[in-house]
Amino acid sequence: MPPRTQRLTFERLDRFESRLSHRLAELSRHAPTLWLFRCVSRLGDWPAWVFLALLQPLLHGRQGWWLAVQWGLTASVAALLYRLLKTRLCRERPYITFTTIRCTMPPVDRYSFPSGHTLHAVMFTSLTAASSPQLLPVVLPLAGLIAVSRVILGLHYVSDVIVGALIGAGLAWCSGLLALMIWN
């Protein structure tokens, strides 16, 4: 897509989503809500996922080490892919485009599309579902809170989160297929 067409597409999408993004970001005006979503978002930076990957050897023995390596490689591919998309698509964050949306936490980078936090949250949740479903009662709500936190904190539009989730699910699925082909 040519840069001008891409920019116009994002401008239309931004206007379409601005009201919902603003409403969700207004939740951050409540101090306990802001504190909760900042903490959840920080967990989604990397600590929760590293802990979850390193937990696999305890749950699955020797095969758990292979799972941890698979998850690490998948996370690396995910990071490269979402960085490539962000730097090519260059969608400004909601608080930059709309001054009525507050930025309540410093962003990791400048652009918003897609949400890397959500991508990783859904990817690791999907990988957990495949290997350690007993952990889903903790991991699934955490992933949902991380995704919502990105909009409430004024850092992402809802579509950033949705696309991040779709990419994360797709990467987990591809990773699982590749692992099956290698291990079988």
Side-chain angles (χ1 to χ4, degrees):
M1 182 180 315
R4 180 166 165 65
T5 306
Q6 171 187 311
R7 191 172 49 253
L8 289 173
T9 301
F10 276 134
E11 286 173 7
R12 287 186 192 119
L13 191 56
D14 293 352
R15 283 193 303 275
F16 177 75
E17 291 186 73
S18 67
R19 190 171 287 156
L20 177 59
S21 295
H22 178 73
R23 283 190 181 140
L24 289 171
E26 282 298 300
L27 294 172
S28 70
R29 293 199 182 274
H30 183 248
T33 302
L34 177 60
W35 178 84
L36 169 70
F37 285 108
R38 278 183 176 167
C39 289
V40 164
S41 187
R42 286 288 175 227
L43 282 173
D45 282 344
W46 62 268
W49 313 130
V50 170
F51 175 77
L52 195 58
L54 294 177
L55 188 60
Q56 296 309 302
L58 294 173
L59 297 173
H60 301 288
R62 191 177 353 189
Q63 184 182 351
W65 287 109
W66 288 110
L67 288 169
V69 168
Q70 174 200 354
W71 291 17
L73 291 172
T74 306
S76 298
V77 169
L80 289 172
L81 178 62
Y82 98 85
R83 287 306 234 170
L84 177 71
L85 290 171
K86 277 191 177 197
T87 57
R88 296 290 185 269
L89 299 175
C90 301
R91 185 183 196 185
E92 295 289 353
R93 293 189 181 272
Y95 73 89
I96 294 172
T97 305
F98 300 100
T99 57
T100 57
I101 296 177
R102 296 182 330 141
C103 176
T104 57
M105 185 173 189
V108 176
D109 52 35
R110 178 172 177 176
Y111 299 115
S112 73
F113 188 86
S115 168
H117 278 75
T118 305
L119 184 157
H120 282 92
V122 170
M123 182 189 75
F124 279 106
T125 301
S126 300
L127 293 169
T128 299
S131 67
S132 309
Q134 70 274 24
L135 299 177
L136 285 177
V138 173
V139 176
L140 193 57
L142 177 62
L145 287 171
I146 289 169
V148 170
S149 79
R150 306 309 289 164
V151 180
I152 289 175
L153 295 172
L155 298 170
H156 286 284
Y157 294 97
V158 173
S159 59
D160 299 338
V161 169
I162 291 169
V163 171
L166 292 172
I167 293 170
L171 286 171
W173 184 76
C174 291
S175 176
L177 279 179
L178 188 60
L180 280 174
M181 291 179 354
I182 291 170
W183 291 336
N184 287 334

